[in-house]
Amino acid sequence: MKYDELVAEIKEQFMKADVSRIKEHIAYQFNIEGEAQGAFYADIADGKLSIEPYEYYDRDVLFTTTAETLLEISAGKLDAVDAFTKGKLKVEGDFEKALKLQDFTKGASQTSGVKKAAVQKAASVKNTVRKAVDKKKAAAAGK
């Protein structure tokens, strides 16, 4: 994977997140080591997220990791805190703001989970209605 492909993939994943509840300004810089090496930033301001392929010198948090680890975090396959405790994600700066990364990466990864839950709920309602209709038909046939 190339650097520009990584930034595009991360941008696609992170932009799915609902950051509207985050009213403070947060600036993250991601330093990628190994494959797709480079730096980019994610900036949250007034509940809006922007991601650009540049360094952010006035950042609140600096994350250093590999492309593979960051993709796993953005896809919801790896918890950011777990990645940190396992040494896969290095964090410098404001740890309180760093923890908010987990909030919006979970939001991004749960977008498909929300759709799945909605489909499951709709199927459950449909089954309940079907059972009620069958029960009424059976009662009407028995009269």
Side-chain angles (χ1 to χ4, degrees):
M1 172 175 278
K2 295 180 183 177
Y3 168 78
D4 56 337
E5 295 170 332
L6 172 66
V7 173
E9 177 68 24
I10 293 299
K11 189 171 189 173
E12 181 180 325
Q13 289 294 325
F14 282 8
M15 295 307 275
K16 294 177 187 175
D18 178 12
V19 296
S20 62
R21 68 189 180 287
I22 300 174
K23 298 301 179 190
E24 65 187 307
H25 178 260
I26 302 175
Y28 297 122
Q29 180 173 318
F30 296 87
N31 285 355
I32 306 302
E33 298 177 330
E35 182 183 6
Q37 180 177 334
F40 67 93
Y41 73 87
D43 181 79
I44 303 169
D46 299 320
K48 295 181 182 172
L49 174 65
S50 61
I51 297 173
E52 296 297 333
Y54 310 107
E55 290 188 47
Y56 198 112
Y57 295 105
D58 193 22
R59 62 188 173 251
D60 298 301
V61 183
L62 171 64
F63 295 105
T64 304
T65 190
T66 64
E68 179 182 0
T69 297
L70 186 56
L71 287 169
E72 288 177 1
I73 291 169
S74 71
K77 296 177 182 176
L78 177 63
D79 182 79
V81 174
D82 287 343
F84 173 76
T85 59
K86 292 176 182 175
K88 293 182 170 189
L89 178 67
K90 296 174 191 159
V91 181
E92 295 177 32
D94 186 327
F95 275 81
E96 187 175 319
K97 288 184 177 183
L99 287 172
K100 292 184 188 270
L101 172 70
Q102 186 168 306
D103 290 343
F104 76 83
T105 57
K106 281 185 178 177
S109 66
Q110 289 175 352
T111 302
S112 61
V114 169
K115 290 178 186 174
K116 183 178 179 182
V119 169
Q120 289 173 342
K121 179 71 174 172
S124 175
V125 169
K126 185 177 177 180
N127 286 337
T128 302
V129 170
R130 183 180 299 138
K131 287 178 184 177
V133 168
D134 290 346
K135 190 174 182 179
K136 281 188 175 186
K137 285 180 182 179
K143 287 184 180 179

